[in-house]
Amino acid sequence: MATATEQATIATPEVRQTKILINGEWRDAVSGKTFQTINPATEELIAEVAEGDEADIDLAVKAARKAFESGPWATMDARDRGRLIHRLADLIEENFDELSALETLDNGKPIADARAADLPLVIDCLRYYAGWADKIQGDTIPIRGNFLCYTRREPLGVCGQIIPWNFPMLMTAWKWGPALAAGCTIVMKPAEQTPLTCLRMGELAMEAGIPPGVINIVPGYGPTAGASLVKHPDVDKIAFTGEHLTAQRIMADAAMTLKRLTFELGGKSPNVVFADADIDAAVAGAEFGLFFNQGQCCCAGSRVFVEESIKEQFVDRIVERAAARKVGNPFDTSTMQGPQVDQDQFDKIMSYIEKGKSGGAACVTGGNRVGDKGYFIEPTIFDNVTDDMDIATNEIFGPVMSILSFKDLDEIIERSNSTFYGLAAAVWTRDIGKAHQYANAVKAGTVWVNCYDVFDAGAPFGGFKMSGIGRELGAAALNNYTELKTVTVSLD
Ligand code: NAI
Ligand code: MG
């Protein structure tokens, strides 16, 4: 007889697509090479995936250029473009079980999270942008003289999109949604750790009737496939999500062709808890804000600043919650934390934990590997962290929380801002004035007040300072995918 745990375990999905998508056709790499995608929960091989490089990127860019300049996409009414994006969202919804399980297989995230967060946000994002397709419009401008002056918002062209592995489907949707709504064509390079759901979304895009060449997908590595896309002279724009060091490389590589660039990068986001906060909510928000997705979130609330007078109480409660988090098989529906995505990330996080211990912070829970197979790490909390410690300044991108204490608003504003990052921030207080003073003063693209990680397709997201350039989501993201043209007509 099956135990309760076994009954709540979701079956491993079938892998249906491992090839390169160019011009509506699934093909092997020109080189014939493949790379392995690994199950991070077991360290076992999931599948061999076609490994694209410069030659495949070039074919994909040619297909995307042709689809952009001619063919059905170039002349399609905007409203019909919107219908195709809606159809893709519908197909993703129809394949919800398979796609969420595939995301869990390739990335390691708990199936409960894939089903509650990733998939619904993907579907919502595509529907949101489907609605924009026929609402991207220009202005008429009352210039001096006898002229008619108007602007057109034209699709930017062939867009290279390079995404990371932490939210493989969601990052795909954030990139495809506004690009398709604007009428652009796409060459996407998914992360080498997690190519499978993006490829499956490519299949569904073809099934939805999105014309060949509009979406091309070239799985492969960053320095080969990624860099070729960045350097390709016929690519108009690169949208990138990942590490700031990679963005610096991309910016340099894109300089020769002056590509448009948008970047969504990392963070060391402050999560600030005042003594007058609803402590239950703040503790739960700090847990979610850091440990969600194994801590692999660009906006993770990794610097938890707690007002001195409540710090001890706060630490006791967050430690209790962290220690109670269920870590294990991501296909078990009650699992809260799965493995880190790969060996590199696992090693990086473990080295930060060592730095935290040797640097004088107090490891109050966790700090160890879980088991001996799969990249599992205990939910870890460091207390008595100071601003200059490695764990307080660097993005760890894992289940490691740093707790720091503070005394007043001016001090915490300054300390929140003393980082080259500026992606997100949160503040917990019942004092509305204090909340807004903090929200105004913190240098971050997103500020959450008495909540954390509230995302919506309509709400712009992106970074100040070295956390990014430009904004994704919302109407703001459409600017990333359009060129503004001014037309002036003599009325004489
Ligand atoms: P990465 O930035 O190197 O990789 C992200 C994407 O960029 C992948 O598709 C990769 O193949 C591609 N890429 C890498 N080098 C490239 C190049 N020279 N030209 C073009 N594309 C290139 O991130 P990685 O190495 O996976 O993770 C390193 C650290 O970055 C993490 O530990 C974390 O701190 C941070 N990170 C931040 C993310 C975010 O959402 N802001 C997401 C993933 C990682
Ligand atoms: Mg890298």
Side-chain angles (χ1 to χ4, degrees):
M1 212 179 92
T3 66
T5 321
E6 279 163 358
Q7 279 168 357
T9 301
I10 305 285
T12 308
E14 183 195 343
V15 174
R16 302 165 61 131
Q17 190 51 258
T18 59
K19 295 200 174 186
I20 296 174
L21 175 61
I22 295 177
N23 206 28
E25 286 165 12
W26 295 94
R27 40 200 299 171
D28 294 323
V30 171
S31 69
K33 283 203 248 175
T34 60
F35 67 100
Q36 300 192 331
T37 185
I38 303 292
N39 177 346
T42 63
E43 302 179 41
E44 284 160 10
L45 174 69
I46 303 171
E48 296 274 351
V49 177
E51 185 193 329
D53 59 24
E54 192 176 355
D56 309 277
I57 289 288
D58 189 51
L59 292 172
V61 171
K62 287 195 168 85
R65 175 57 61 191
K66 186 158 166 275
F68 183 73
E69 303 295 348
S70 57
W73 192 246
T75 53
M76 190 180 290
D77 286 340
R79 199 155 299 162
D80 294 332
R81 254 189 352 250
R83 287 184 58 170
L84 291 180
I85 306 171
H86 267 302
R87 180 80 188 114
L88 173 58
D90 291 346
L91 285 172
I92 290 170
E93 195 166 50
E94 284 167 28
N95 292 278
F96 190 104
D97 291 346
E98 180 211 336
L99 285 163
S100 50
L102 194 59
E103 195 76 317
T104 290
L105 179 69
D106 213 12
N107 166 280
K109 65 179 65 204
I111 187 72
D113 288 354
R115 296 181 66 91
D118 298 69
L119 266 285
L121 288 168
V122 164
I123 295 162
D124 223 37
C125 176
L126 291 172
R127 291 201 173 128
Y128 173 81
Y129 284 109
W132 265 115
D134 60 358
K135 298 169 194 70
I136 300 171
Q137 57 197 26
D139 297 312
T140 53
I141 302 169
I143 66 170
R144 201 181 283 285
N146 196 20
F147 298 99
L148 164 64
C149 180
Y150 65 93
T151 55
R152 291 162 49 80
R153 303 200 68 90
E154 298 186 355
L156 188 61
V158 174
C159 298
Q161 303 185 323
I162 301 175
I163 57 167
W165 41 262
N166 51 346
F167 295 91
M169 284 194 76
L170 188 57
M171 292 303 100
T172 303
W174 284 22
K175 299 283 185 284
W176 287 4
L180 295 174
C184 293
T185 59
I186 294 166
V187 178
M188 165 151 282
K189 197 205 79 66
E192 56 272 27
Q193 296 88 346
T194 56
L196 297 177
T197 45
C198 179
L199 294 173
R200 186 70 184 109
M201 278 173 76
E203 277 192 330
L204 295 176
M206 297 304 102
E207 194 180 326
I210 293 175
V214 172
I215 296 174
N216 306 277
I217 307 173
V218 183
Y221 290 102
T224 50
S228 317
L229 186 57
V230 172
K231 290 177 188 159
H232 200 293
D234 208 26
V235 172
D236 298 296
K237 176 211 163 55
I238 295 288
F240 168 77
T241 299
E243 190 178 21
H244 70 278
L245 297 170
T246 312
Q248 289 171 330
R249 176 80 257 151
I250 289 174
M251 197 173 225
D253 283 347
M256 287 317 291
T257 47
L258 287 178
K259 287 184 176 59
R260 284 88 185 106
L261 296 174
T262 46
F263 290 147
E264 202 265 278
L265 312 174
K268 195 70 193 175
S269 298
N271 188 2
V272 175
V273 184
F274 281 97
D276 65 359
D278 172 342
I279 300 296
D280 289 337
V283 170
E287 179 195 354
F288 181 59
L290 187 282
F291 292 114
F292 175 60
N293 208 41
Q294 294 67 248
Q296 300 167 149
C297 296
C298 49
C299 55
S302 51
R303 287 189 293 156
V304 178
F305 290 103
V306 185
E307 194 170 340
E308 215 170 58
S309 59
I310 59 158
K311 206 201 71 173
E312 243 173 81
Q313 178 197 356
F314 186 94
V315 171
D316 288 347
R317 293 171 71 171
I318 189 85
V319 163
E320 195 180 316
R321 288 186 70 112
R325 285 178 70 78
K326 186 172 171 190
V327 182
N329 177 6
F331 282 101
D332 180 331
T333 54
S334 64
T335 290
M336 299 164 83
Q337 184 178 308
Q340 309 309 128
V341 78
D342 67 6
Q343 184 77 51
D344 286 354
Q345 292 299 310
F346 176 88
D347 292 343
K348 170 181 167 183
I349 296 159
M350 292 310 292
S351 85
Y352 275 116
I353 291 176
E354 287 318 310
K355 281 182 187 158
K357 288 176 178 168
S358 61
C363 184
V364 286
T365 187
N368 303 298
R369 179 176 196 173
V370 177
D372 54 11
K373 203 169 64 148
Y375 310 116
F376 296 93
I377 298 176
E378 289 174 345
T380 299
I381 297 179
F382 282 100
D383 189 11
N384 302 331
V385 177
T386 54
D387 291 344
D388 56 333
M389 288 181 186
D390 280 323
I391 55 170
T393 52
N394 294 307
E395 182 174 55
I396 300 174
F397 229 62
V400 183
M401 179 185 290
S402 292
I403 300 183
L404 308 91
S405 68
F406 73 95
K407 290 203 181 79
D408 65 48
L409 181 64
D410 288 341
E411 173 205 333
I412 198 54
I413 288 169
E414 193 193 318
R415 290 173 64 198
S416 294
N417 289 338
S418 67
T419 163
F420 63 75
Y421 289 120
L423 191 59
V427 58
W428 301 80
T429 173
R430 289 193 175 95
D431 179 338
I432 193 173
K434 205 155 64 180
H436 283 289
Q437 282 180 52
Y438 182 81
N440 285 354
V442 70
K443 292 188 183 1
T446 290
V447 184
W448 288 296
V449 177
N450 295 331
C451 56
Y452 210 98
D453 273 351
V454 177
F455 279 90
D456 188 280
F461 182 76
F464 281 33
K465 301 194 271 183
M466 282 175 70
S467 286
I469 297 179
R471 293 293 176 271
E472 300 199 273
L473 301 181
L478 297 166
N479 296 334
N480 305 339
Y481 292 97
T482 50
E483 283 281 13
L484 194 60
K485 178 180 281 178
T486 304
V487 182
T488 304
V489 183
S490 168
L491 298 180
D492 288 335

